[in-house]
Structure formats: structure tokens, C-alpha cells
Amino acid sequence: MDVQFDYKGAPVGGHILNYLLEKSRVVHQNHGERNFHIFYQLLEGGEDDLLRRLGLEKNPQQYHYLVKGQCARVSSISDKNDWKVVRRALSVINFNDNEVEDLLSIVASVLHLGNVQFAADEQGNAQVTTENQIKYLARLLGVEGSVLREALIHKTIIAKGEELVSPLNLEQAAYARDALAKAVYGRTFSWLVNKINKSLAYKEAECPGWRSATVLGLLDIYGFEVFQHNSFEQFCINYCNEKLQQLFIELTLKSEQEEYESEGIAWEPVQYFNNKIICDLVEEKFKGIISILDEECLRPGDATDMTFLEKLEETVKNHPHFLTHKLADQKTRKSLGREEFRLLHYAGEVTYSVTGFLDKNNDLLFRNLKETMCNSENTIINHCFERTELTDKKRPETAATQFKNSLSKLMEILMSKEPSYIRCIKPNDAKQAGRFDEVLIRHQVKYLGLMENLRVRRAGFAYRRKYEIFLQRYKSLCSETWPTWEGRPHDGVAVLVKHLGYKQEEYKMGRTKIFIRFPKTLFATEDALEIRKQSLATKIQATWRGFYWRQKFLHMKHSAITIQSWWRGTQGRRKASKKKWAVETIRRFIKGFIYRNYPRCSENEYFLDYIRYSFLMNLKRNLPKNVLDKSWPTPPPSLYEVSQLLRQLCMQNMVWSYCKRISPEWKQQIQKTSGFCFFLSLQLDQKVVASEMFKGKKDNYPQSVPRLFINTRLGTEEINPKVLQVLGNETIKYAVPVVKYDRKGYKARVRQLLLTQNAIFIVEEAKIKQRIDYANLTGISVSSLSDSLFVLHVRCEDNKQKGDVVLQSDHVIETLTKTAMSADKINNVNISQGSIKFTIGQGKEGIIDFTSGSELLIAKAKNGHLAVVAPRLNSR
């Protein structure tokens, strides 16, 4: 992959090169291996609606292409989460919904292809037995089902310009099915890479040649593959590794030794294995393994994998790095099968099975299957299978030749660059932290060819630099080379290393470079350079700080002197002005005092104004607080009349303010009474009596304190005229609406309570229901709670009286106070705790039970008592 960077070093584009896709994995996996991840991700993470459209189930065991390796699920892989990542990635690289649908249809079609089954008819010809899979494939690939079915069990051969169709047997039909699956997946993979490249392409480059100057190439390859069963794919991968090792030898090992020779550095050359002999064995024209494989694939006649092996034995039998069962000695034959050959790679021996070599190399797809795919309505499939393939009579290159040519181009790219190598060592196969499998690690070290590289590095010099660069970097460590060296760089470096105390075995002086053998020597030099930099930095900083603070001090000193001089001048001017003003004021004051008794003139106006001002300010501070305060400051003679006028206005204002604060209720009561003083006296008398009777004894007394006791709660117009006629000359002193509770059933009835000079009247509309003379009133009972119920106890000796009266008033404190004062029964008011007994009549008694609750409730209880629930008050 090429990664493209902008001038700031940020990645802005890229390009992917695809060299070898292991298409055989689509139809077959070794034990413990999985198919390509996308299949499992689609089944595990796909939405139900998507899977229904694709005709898939979530269980991977239902698909033959996914169970060959017996490893459908891996504990360390979350296919569901990976599916979400893939879907997001498709949107990032600008896939629209139709392209995603077509792409997933192709992935699903590969799974359905694997489930297509065949059976032989009487002539041994293959017939499709899974029609349901054909229907799904026809819909997903956008082809006709009947055409696809026939293409899977027949093949078309062009002979002498004519098309001949022949049936396939079971083995051939299975091959055709698998070939179609591999072709569909492989070509779709290439299409996807091209699609991604279009998305990664940087479209804003302006300068020609800019791209080539800012590209970093990344080549990711695992290394040698050595399995229990090694086939065509492992052969290609290991061939690639041989070529990369050859490049590594050219660019690293060989160039390392050549540099020492060109610089005239005496050292003992390290013997390393040059793998060119193995590369020639694989890729040499006419004699190499790839050439022999292609020849077997192309020649007429019955070519098989075993004939390919025989041709290898015949052609390269004398090669020291090639071995077969036939060519091996008696001992080695035990480890080689008759269908296997062994190559002695630079990293070790690998045994390959030739089974499937010809089929995988041919990678042929029957013409009628290509034609069917060319007619697909799936846009991706239609793009991958071009119709020009049907008319092209040239035989396509084999897979091995394509890979060889691609690898040759890769080598050209790498040879033109400056490659760096990163060797990755896999510590264990279980992907566990902190676990090192020594056998596995030794195997990788061996097959990565690290030992030769280590031997060259350890025998050579770890660091080498041109004299100019070395001197420029480290010249500050020596007083003779610092700050400049006038002579040759070679001589300057010699002086420098002598000053640093390098030992003879630690370095060598070449023609243009210095070579340092041990990293510790370079590290010690770097440490000394760092210390020198810190020392120089400290000196520079100290000098700069001194200069900086000196300049800052001088600037601040100059600023301080400027500010001080300005401030002193300002203070002096202010002081002189103040003295001048004081002298002038005193002069005018003395002159005014002398002329104080003269008429107002320029000589005394200031003094007189000051006297007036002083009097008014004193008056402002000592005004009377109320109408009873008769104090008033003594005015100067010139303000006597003004003082009297101001005193009169002040008194009027205090009276007006006091009157303004009187409430409307008080004003109304004052108007009804004969005067303010009488009203105030009467109000105080009633409040004193109420305090004596109820303070600290009844819960709702505190609420009555700030309220006025008014003369009556009912106007004359609210009392029925007939009642007033019956009362005659008796004057109503107080009237209030009440609720009367019957003595037996305790039914509430609305009444009016009237107080006159001699009696209490209970009135119902136009009728006087009961008259209670004050002489017959024996007492008044009320509870200690916050209810408004009270009982008037009446002497029962009077036959006109039916018993005690139970009443309720919203102004209970006011009502009881006025009643007790009118009847002279102040000492006969009883405040009870818990319950009150009262006389019903004819010697019977009733009981009222009082309790506290959340709200006022009066009702007859089951025990026959009158139950009163008084509301609790927040404070008493």
C-alpha cells in the first residue's frame, strides 16, 4: 500500500496493490482455519431483514464452504462487532446503498454455490439436485436460473470455429462450481480494491511530481508459511519470501560488506547464504518450476499433478535444493510422500503436495459460465466479467505466471526505494499476553533469516557517518573544533575522537566516513553532547537573563522616576491650590463676621450663607420624631420667620403621615363611634378582657390579637325587619352569624346571634328561636383547641328553656369576649380540655369530644357524642 502525505506530514491519500489472493480458501480450508471473515461477519451481524433478502441463516454450519476447517467460531473474534466496523467502512469509502446490496448479494451467492449438490443420472452425467439454491443464485447474481443450472453441468468447447457442448460428470461439475465460486469472489475482491483506490486517491495535487516525492510504501507479508499440508498457495508465498530475501541480501548484507571494502575498512567478511540459486530454481525460464508447471497446464494430452511431478524430477533432479520421494535416499523417503516434493529454502525445508497444483495454476472457468456471468444484471458482476473475454482467443496467463510478473514489478519498485525492515515475532498461537513459545519463536527467527543479519551487524560497525556530518554534530565537545574547524573534515574528526578518548578498537576511519563499532560508544558521545548542550544553554540563558533583567530594571527605574516626578508635581499643585483656597475662605469668613449685622452685601454674603446652611443641616439632623415632640433648634436672627414656617409645615406633615397610616377598618369604626378616643378606649378594654380569658389557654387566640373587634358583624339591613319589630326598644349591641347544632341529632342550622342590653337572642330569619336572659346564663364553655365551637349554659329551671345551646362562630374570640362583657360573665367562661358536657333537657346530658387533626371536622360519632376535630396551627 502506498500512503500519500501532504507537506505537513499528514496522510492525504493512498493506493493498494493486490498481488495474490488465496482463492482456494473460498472452497477449502485446512483443519483449524476459517474461510474469509466476511462470510461469518455477514451471518453473525447481518440484520434479519438483510439475511431474509439474501436467503441466509445465521448458523454457519449450514454452509459447506464454512465448515471445511471445522473452525466456524473463534472465541477471540467478535464477528458481530467486526460486521459493524465493515458497514461503517463501506460508508466512509462512499459506497451507496445499491452498491452495498450488490456486494453482499455476491458474498451470499458464494455461500449458496457451496450448497449446490449434484447427482449422477444413468449415463453418469451430473444433474443439479438443489433447485432452491439455484433460485437464490439466479436472484442474487441477476441471471436466469435455467441458464445457470445448465452452465454448471455442461461445458462449451470451441473446435474449428464451432461450439461443442458436453455434459460434466460429478467431479467435473463440482470443479466447475468451485471454480465459479473462486472466480466470483476473486474478481469481486479485485473490484473492491479498485473501488477503495478511487476513494483513497488524492484529488487536489497541483504540482507535477509531488506525489512521487511524498509517498511511503508499506508491504505487509507474514513470512514463510510452513504447515502440515503445504500446497500451491504456500509455494507462491514462500517464493515471494525468497525474492524479498534476495532483495534483502542485495540491499543489506551485500551492500554492507561492499561499503566496508569501498571505505578501506579492514574486517573479516561474514559468510552468508545467497539464495539466488533457489530463486532461479523457481523462476528460471524453461527450467524453473513455474515454467514446468505452465508447460504441463498448456500441453495437449492428459496432464495431471503426478505428470507435473515426474516432469520436475526429470528436469531439476540434480538441483541441490530440490528433493522428491523418488530422488531421496532410503532414510529421507520415509518423510516424503509420492505426491510431494521438498525445497530447501534459505530459511529451511518445506514439503509441498502437488495435489491441486495444475487446477490452481490454471484457474480456468468454463466458457459457458463466463458467458452466464457476462449477462448478469448485478452491476459488480457485470463489471468483473467483461464480454471481451469471450472473443479473446489468447489463453490467459496462469496464476503462477501472473504472480511471478507481479512480483517482478514489486522488486523493481523496492529496488528503486530505500526500504526499512520491521520483523514481527509472534510469541504464541493463542494470542495471550505474557506467554512465549520458545519453539515457535525459534522457528520464526530461523525462517525470517534473522541470524545472517545479526552476524553481519555484530561483525560490522553499528554507526557510520560522513566526516562533515559527524564533525558538524559533535564539534562543540572539543575546544579545538569549536566553534569552527578550518582544516579538512577528516582531520577535524581525528582531533575530535582523540579528545573524546575513543579507543582504537571502538572506531575506524574510512575514506569518507567514520565507523563506530559499539553502540555504547555512540551513546556516551550523545550523552556528552547533551550535557554540553545543557551547559551551553545554561550559560546562554544566564547571560540572557542578566541582560534581560538589567534592561527591565533600567526601564522600570526610568518609568518610576517619571511617575514620581509627575506625582510630586501633581501633589504640589494640589497642596498649593488647597492652601490658597483655605486662605481665601478664612479671609471671607472673618470679613463676613465683622459685617454680620449689616444688610446683605458682598462682604458678608458668604458668612450669612454659611450660617443659614449650618442651621438647615442641623435642623435636618434634629427634626421632631412625632407630634408630641416639641423640640426645635434655635434659628439665627435672619432665619427666625423661616424657622417658624418650617416648624408649622413639619407638624402638618407628621399629622398627615399619621392619618395616612390609619387602616380603612379603623376609619370606619371611628366614624361609627362618637370619636377616636372613645373607639380606642373601647377597643383596648375588649382586647384586655380577651387576653385575660384566652391568652395561653386557647390555640387560636394569637390569630385574633392583630384583628380589630368591630361593633357588629351584621348590618341592620341583614337583620329581618320583623325581628327588629319584635325587639322594639331593645338596642342591638352586637350581631354575628353563627351555626347552631341541634341537641339530639347535632344537625347544623344557620342562625344569627344578637346581643342587647338584657338578653341574648338566637334568630332564624324572621323568627326569634330562643331568648336567653343574662340572668339565666350560668356560664360559657369552649375548648382549648383551635376550633370555633362554644356552649351557652342556660338555667333549666325556666320552662321556656330547652337546654344548653351549642354554637359555632367564625369570630369566636370576638363573639365570646363581647358576650361575656355584655352578660357580666367574664369569670364564668370555662376553657375545657378534651370534652364539654352540656344539658340537653329533662335531666339528660350531651358530650362534645375535641381532638386535633389536619382540618376542621364536626360530626356525630358512633358513641352518640358530637366529635370535633380541630386543625393544628403552625405556632401558638
Side-chain angles (χ1 to χ4, degrees):
M1 180 176 181
D2 287 340
V3 183
Q4 191 175 4
F5 299 90
D6 63 10
Y7 70 96
K8 294 180 291 187
V12 293
H15 186 81
I16 299 171
L17 299 175
N18 179 29
Y19 288 106
L20 176 65
L21 178 68
E22 191 181 359
K23 290 187 291 186
S24 63
R25 185 181 289 270
V26 174
V27 299
H28 177 78
Q29 306 92 43
N30 292 330
H31 181 75
E33 291 186 346
R34 299 213 305 174
N35 207 320
F36 291 104
H37 295 305
I38 187 62
F39 297 116
Y40 308 98
Q41 293 167 359
L42 175 60
L43 297 181
E44 184 69 24
E47 300 81 2
D48 293 339
D49 183 57
L50 173 62
L51 295 180
R52 185 166 54 253
R53 292 200 308 273
L54 300 178
L56 300 176
E57 301 178 17
K58 283 188 172 293
N59 185 9
Q61 300 294 334
Q62 299 293 326
Y63 303 96
H64 292 97
Y65 282 166
L66 303 184
V67 297
K68 297 292 182 69
Q70 300 178 1
C71 186
R73 298 186 186 277
V74 179
S75 60
S76 60
I77 297 176
S78 174
D79 294 314
K80 191 171 185 178
N81 292 338
D82 291 345
W83 169 255
K84 296 177 182 178
V85 174
V86 170
R87 289 307 300 264
R88 284 198 300 270
L90 289 175
S91 64
V92 167
I93 58 176
N94 302 324
F95 268 72
N96 57 43
D97 293 340
N98 292 334
E99 288 175 332
V100 172
E101 189 74 18
D102 288 346
L103 184 63
L104 297 181
S105 297
I106 295 172
V107 174
S109 70
V110 174
L111 295 179
H112 286 297
L113 267 174
N115 284 2
V116 173
Q117 301 296 319
F118 304 98
D121 59 12
E122 295 177 355
Q123 288 78 29
N125 298 328
Q127 300 294 328
V128 176
T129 60
T130 50
E131 285 297 325
N132 194 40
Q133 303 298 330
I134 296 296
K135 291 179 182 178
Y136 279 125
L137 285 168
R139 180 165 59 82
L140 295 172
L141 294 176
V143 298
E144 293 185 16
S146 58
V147 175
L148 178 62
R149 185 193 311 105
E150 292 301 313
L152 286 171
I153 58 177
H154 294 86
K155 69 176 179 178
T156 302
I157 302 174
I158 299 179
K160 297 181 180 180
E162 296 184 3
E163 290 188 0
L164 301 178
V165 180
S166 63
L168 302 178
N169 58 28
L170 290 179
E171 183 180 354
Q172 291 171 330
Y175 171 83
R177 175 199 62 199
D178 292 346
L180 179 60
K182 291 188 290 183
V184 166
Y185 189 88
R187 297 190 185 203
T188 303
F189 183 85
S190 299
W191 175 88
L192 181 60
V193 171
N194 291 332
K195 174 75 175 177
I196 294 173
N197 283 337
K198 291 179 181 178
S199 176
L200 292 177
Y202 183 65
K203 304 176 180 62
E204 299 181 9
E206 298 178 357
C207 302
W210 182 85
R211 181 182 181 279
S212 61
T214 55
V215 171
L216 174 67
L218 301 173
L219 175 65
D220 181 15
I221 186 166
Y222 175 76
F224 265 82
E225 289 190 351
V226 186
F227 301 137
Q228 243 180 348
H229 177 79
N230 301 291
S231 187
F232 179 75
E233 291 78 17
Q234 285 70 45
F235 173 76
C236 292
I237 288 290
N238 293 342
Y239 165 51
C240 178
N241 277 278
E242 286 287 357
K243 294 294 289 182
L244 291 175
Q245 176 65 14
Q246 186 180 27
L247 179 71
F248 177 74
I249 291 171
E250 290 290 330
L251 296 180
T252 305
L253 304 181
K254 189 176 179 181
S255 62
E256 182 88 0
Q257 297 189 23
E258 288 176 352
E259 183 177 19
Y260 294 147
E261 293 175 4
S262 65
E263 289 288 329
I265 302 298
W267 79 308
E268 184 178 350
V270 176
Q271 296 300 320
Y272 59 85
F273 172 68
N274 192 335
N275 71 333
K276 184 177 184 302
I277 186 173
I278 302 176
C279 294
D280 291 341
L281 170 63
V282 176
E283 65 184 7
E284 189 177 5
K285 284 187 178 182
F286 310 118
K287 297 180 182 180
I289 295 176
I290 292 179
S291 295
I292 297 170
L293 179 61
D294 286 350
E295 184 180 342
E296 280 299 296
C297 289
L298 300 176
R299 75 174 177 84
D302 190 12
T304 64
D305 294 325
M306 291 306 298
T307 61
F308 162 62
L309 182 61
E310 291 171 1
K311 189 69 175 287
L312 281 179
E313 291 174 335
E314 179 184 342
T315 308
V316 295
K317 59 184 177 182
N318 295 324
H319 200 286
H321 294 269
F322 178 81
L323 199 63
T324 64
H325 184 275
K326 179 180 178 181
L327 301 176
D329 55 30
Q330 192 68 29
K331 181 179 179 182
T332 309
R333 283 181 181 177
K334 296 179 182 179
S335 61
L336 273 172
R338 295 186 180 275
E339 74 288 352
E340 295 178 337
F341 68 91
R342 180 176 295 166
L343 292 182
L344 276 65
H345 291 284
Y346 80 91
E349 299 175 349
V350 182
T351 302
Y352 301 96
S353 171
V354 297
T355 304
F357 258 62
L358 264 64
D359 288 341
K360 294 174 181 178
N361 187 44
N362 268 324
D363 197 21
L364 290 178
L365 188 64
F366 293 145
R367 177 184 174 84
N368 48 345
L369 285 174
K370 284 185 181 180
E371 189 172 3
T372 303
M373 293 299 104
C374 286
N375 295 325
S376 171
E377 295 179 359
N378 186 303
T379 54
I380 299 177
I381 291 292
N382 193 268
H383 184 274
C384 292
F385 290 86
E386 297 181 359
R387 191 164 290 277
T388 54
E389 293 185 41
L390 301 177
T391 58
D392 189 4
K393 297 181 180 179
K394 182 181 178 181
R395 184 181 179 92
E397 290 182 336
T398 62
T401 300
Q402 292 178 28
F403 184 69
K404 173 183 157 185
N405 295 337
S406 298
L407 197 56
S408 177
K409 293 178 181 178
L410 175 63
M411 293 300 113
E412 291 178 6
I413 294 173
L414 295 178
M415 287 293 290
S416 65
K417 308 297 180 185
E418 297 181 4
S420 300
Y421 295 87
I422 300 174
R423 303 293 191 178
C424 301
I425 304 296
K426 186 178 178 183
N428 61 75
D429 285 325
K431 296 183 179 179
Q432 293 181 359
R435 176 182 167 188
F436 291 86
D437 186 338
E438 186 176 345
V439 175
L440 177 64
I441 294 173
R442 285 181 178 274
H443 171 82
Q444 293 177 85
V445 170
K446 176 182 177 184
Y447 280 81
L448 287 172
L450 296 182
M451 299 311 297
E452 291 85 354
N453 189 23
L454 288 175
R455 280 197 294 270
V456 171
R457 289 296 185 188
R458 295 178 72 176
F461 296 86
Y463 177 84
R464 76 280 323 265
R465 276 292 180 273
K466 288 187 175 295
Y467 291 131
E468 294 83 358
I469 299 175
F470 186 86
L471 182 62
Q472 179 65 29
R473 180 169 181 80
Y474 300 110
K475 64 181 180 179
S476 62
L477 298 179
C478 177
S479 58
E480 296 181 46
T481 57
W482 176 257
T484 56
W485 175 258
E486 300 297 340
R488 293 190 310 159
H490 180 281
D491 299 334
V493 172
V495 171
L496 181 59
V497 296
K498 182 179 179 181
H499 175 79
L500 293 174
Y502 281 12
K503 297 179 180 178
Q504 191 62 38
E505 65 272 13
E506 291 181 338
Y507 75 99
K508 293 289 184 182
M509 301 287 286
R511 293 186 175 92
T512 62
K513 298 179 182 178
I514 179 174
F515 292 79
I516 298 177
R517 185 181 300 276
F518 304 118
K520 64 179 182 179
T521 305
L522 180 65
F523 295 158
T525 306
E526 282 292 326
D527 292 342
L529 178 63
E530 189 64 29
I531 294 172
R532 175 63 174 167
K533 285 181 179 179
Q534 292 178 0
S535 175
L536 289 174
T538 302
K539 290 180 179 178
I540 293 172
Q541 288 174 357
T543 304
W544 168 249
R545 284 196 197 99
F547 174 77
Y548 172 78
W549 287 112
R550 175 67 178 168
Q551 293 299 316
K552 190 171 184 179
F553 166 75
L554 293 175
H555 179 69
M556 291 177 68
K557 182 180 179 182
H558 174 73
S559 301
I561 292 171
T562 302
I563 294 171
Q564 288 172 356
S565 61
W566 176 85
W567 179 244
R568 288 194 187 99
T570 301
Q571 280 187 320
R573 286 188 292 273
R574 286 180 181 177
K575 191 172 182 180
S577 177
K578 192 173 183 180
K579 285 181 178 180
K580 182 179 179 181
W581 172 83
V583 168
E584 185 64 27
T585 301
I586 294 172
R587 182 185 293 114
R588 292 173 65 188
F589 196 86
I590 294 173
K591 187 178 287 188
F593 180 78
I594 296 172
Y595 289 91
R596 64 184 181 278
N597 294 324
Y598 287 77
R600 184 179 181 87
C601 60
S602 60
E603 284 79 8
N604 64 4
E605 62 180 355
Y606 178 79
F607 179 79
L608 295 178
D609 289 343
Y610 176 78
I611 294 297
R612 291 171 181 173
Y613 173 79
S614 299
F615 168 74
L616 292 175
M617 294 305 296
N618 183 38
L619 180 61
K620 177 185 175 183
R621 292 189 292 268
N622 298 284
L623 283 173
K625 301 297 187 292
N626 51 61
V627 295
L628 301 178
D629 186 359
K630 304 301 181 181
S631 62
W632 191 262
T634 303
S638 59
L639 292 178
Y640 182 80
E641 293 180 5
V642 175
S643 176
Q644 293 300 320
L645 182 59
L646 289 176
R647 188 170 188 178
Q648 183 181 355
L649 290 174
C650 180
M651 182 60 68
Q652 291 176 356
N653 181 63
M654 287 191 293
V655 171
W656 180 80
S657 299
Y658 180 80
C659 294
K660 189 178 179 181
R661 290 197 299 270
I662 297 176
S663 65
E665 189 179 18
W666 277 55
K667 291 179 181 178
Q668 185 180 4
Q669 293 300 317
I670 292 169
Q671 291 171 358
K672 288 182 180 180
T673 55
S674 56
F676 175 75
C677 294
F678 176 75
F679 164 75
L680 186 59
S681 175
L682 181 61
Q683 189 70 213
L684 290 174
D685 290 343
Q686 292 177 359
K687 287 291 184 177
V688 170
V689 171
S691 175
E692 291 175 355
M693 291 192 296
F694 301 112
K695 185 177 180 181
K697 301 175 184 178
K698 187 160 179 66
D699 287 353
N700 54 354
Y701 167 75
Q703 279 70 36
S704 71
V705 172
R707 298 191 181 98
L708 288 174
F709 287 175
I710 64 177
N711 294 335
T712 181
R713 293 288 176 179
L714 293 172
T716 306
E717 66 279 1
E718 296 179 81
I719 302 173
N720 196 284
K722 292 181 180 181
V723 174
L724 296 175
Q725 187 178 3
V726 172
L727 292 178
N729 296 326
E730 292 196 53
T731 304
I732 298 175
K733 298 172 64 177
Y734 179 73
V736 64
V738 296
V739 176
K740 178 180 178 294
Y741 290 90
D742 291 348
R743 298 175 182 83
K744 295 183 179 180
Y746 302 121
K747 184 175 181 180
R749 302 181 187 278
V750 178
R751 298 287 188 267
Q752 292 178 340
L753 176 68
L754 308 181
L755 299 180
T756 66
Q757 297 93 331
N758 303 314
I760 301 171
F761 291 91
I762 308 297
V763 177
E764 178 188 5
E765 294 182 354
K767 183 179 180 181
I768 296 176
K769 299 294 291 184
Q770 189 173 354
R771 174 189 172 112
I772 303 172
D773 292 331
Y774 292 145
N776 292 330
L777 183 65
T778 60
I780 303 172
S781 293
V782 67
S783 77
S784 61
L785 302 179
S786 62
D787 61 280
S788 56
L789 209 73
F790 63 93
V791 178
L792 299 178
H793 297 284
V794 184
R795 186 178 288 111
C796 293
E797 296 163 355
D798 186 356
N799 295 329
K800 294 181 182 180
Q801 303 297 335
K802 300 176 182 178
D804 296 342
V805 184
V806 181
L807 300 174
Q808 180 190 0
S809 171
D810 292 339
H811 310 280
V812 63
I813 302 296
E814 177 186 281
T815 301
L816 292 180
T817 301
K818 289 182 178 289
T819 302
M821 292 180 69
S822 298
D824 195 17
K825 301 293 182 181
I826 296 173
N827 296 326
N828 295 90
V829 177
N830 178 37
I831 299 176
S832 302
Q833 304 281 343
S835 63
I836 296 175
K837 291 182 180 181
F838 64 95
T839 302
I840 296 176
Q842 300 176 356
K844 296 181 180 180
E845 286 187 344
I847 298 176
I848 305 174
D849 295 327
F850 294 90
T851 57
S852 295
S854 60
E855 60 183 7
L856 179 65
L857 180 64
I858 303 175
K860 184 178 180 180
K862 292 182 179 180
N863 59 4
H865 298 176
L866 179 62
V868 179
V869 179
R872 298 185 184 92
L873 300 178
N874 293 334
S875 62
R876 298 190 61 178

